[in-house]
Amino acid sequence: MAPFRIRTFGDPVLRRRAEEVTEIDGRVAHLAEEMHATLKEAHGLGLAAPQVGVGRRLFVYEIGESGPRTMINPVIDEADGEWEHEEGCLSVPGLYFRINRPKHVHIKGLDLDGNEVSVEADELEATLYQHELDHLDGRLLLELLDADQRKTAMRELRRRSEGEAGPGGQPPS
Ligand code: NI
């Protein structure tokens, strides 16, 4: 079983700006390790700390042949171009939206050894970084939707939460 339950839409931790990691110590390494296990089990590309209820600025990811990676206190200092991608989020399970973002980014951050990492990325990888950085700023992809997409998404999410309660609502037990 994955060490963490992934927080989903409606959980307030997803709306808060996460705080800088001030010290990269064993606890951060342990957190990253458990996040990687959670990501793997969820078959996702990336997972940000707020998605497991931790308000710290780090995310884990695994894309291509790179193996599991961790990015701490990331900053995007360059973004250009345009790229549209069918994007999903582990915190909004099962829903995908066409979202336009800059095609190319330059992201900087720290790895688990405290070394500076500087990556130039395009397309899917660039989208992943922007998506995870949004999580650290308390933003879900729902906020990037146009009015029509948003209406459809909210209807679907409402339908699901009503579905979970069962018809007529479930008595508390
Ligand atoms: Ni996400």
Side-chain angles (χ1 to χ4, degrees), residues 46-48 51 88-92 131-132 135 139-141:
L47 185 69
Q51 292 181 277
C89 178
L90 293 172
S91 293
V92 191
H131 180 112
E132 301 311 328
H135 277 301
R139 207 162 38 233
L140 286 176
L141 81 179

Side-chain angles (χ1 to χ4, degrees), residues 20-153:
E20 303 282 315
V21 175
T22 49
E23 201 181 334
I24 302 173
D25 54 13
R27 287 176 59 191
V28 174
H30 184 67
L31 169 64
E33 198 179 302
E34 301 215 305
M35 285 171 64
H36 276 294
T38 305
L39 176 65
K40 201 176 166 89
E41 191 175 286
H43 303 290
L45 280 181
L47 185 69
Q51 292 181 277
V52 296
V54 178
R56 290 288 166 181
R57 300 187 77 78
L58 79 144
F59 63 80
V60 301
Y61 63 105
E62 186 157 0
I63 189 165
E65 306 294 298
S66 72
R69 297 266 173 101
T70 303
M71 185 83 82
I72 299 166
N73 296 340
V75 176
I76 287 177
D77 67 358
E78 253 180 68
D80 54 59
E82 245 185 69
W83 197 62
E84 196 180 68
H85 180 65
E86 189 93 354
E87 228 174 284
C89 178
L90 293 172
S91 293
V92 191
L95 293 183
Y96 294 84
F97 307 99
R98 294 207 76 81
I99 292 181
N100 230 313
R101 295 184 188 263
K103 181 182 182 174
H104 173 89
V105 300
H106 178 213
I107 187 168
K108 288 198 286 198
L110 299 170
D111 66 16
L112 282 171
D113 298 316
N115 297 319
E116 187 162 313
V117 187
S118 170
V119 185
E120 303 263 353
D122 277 317
E123 300 186 349
L124 183 62
E125 189 177 353
T127 291
L128 166 69
Y129 295 142
Q130 294 171 81
H131 180 112
E132 301 311 328
L133 212 73
D134 278 350
H135 277 301
L136 302 183
D137 290 331
R139 207 162 38 233
L140 286 176
L141 81 179
L142 296 169
E143 288 167 60
L144 300 173
L145 304 182
D146 64 34
D148 281 350
Q149 285 177 309
R150 197 179 162 81
K151 216 180 282 175
T152 309

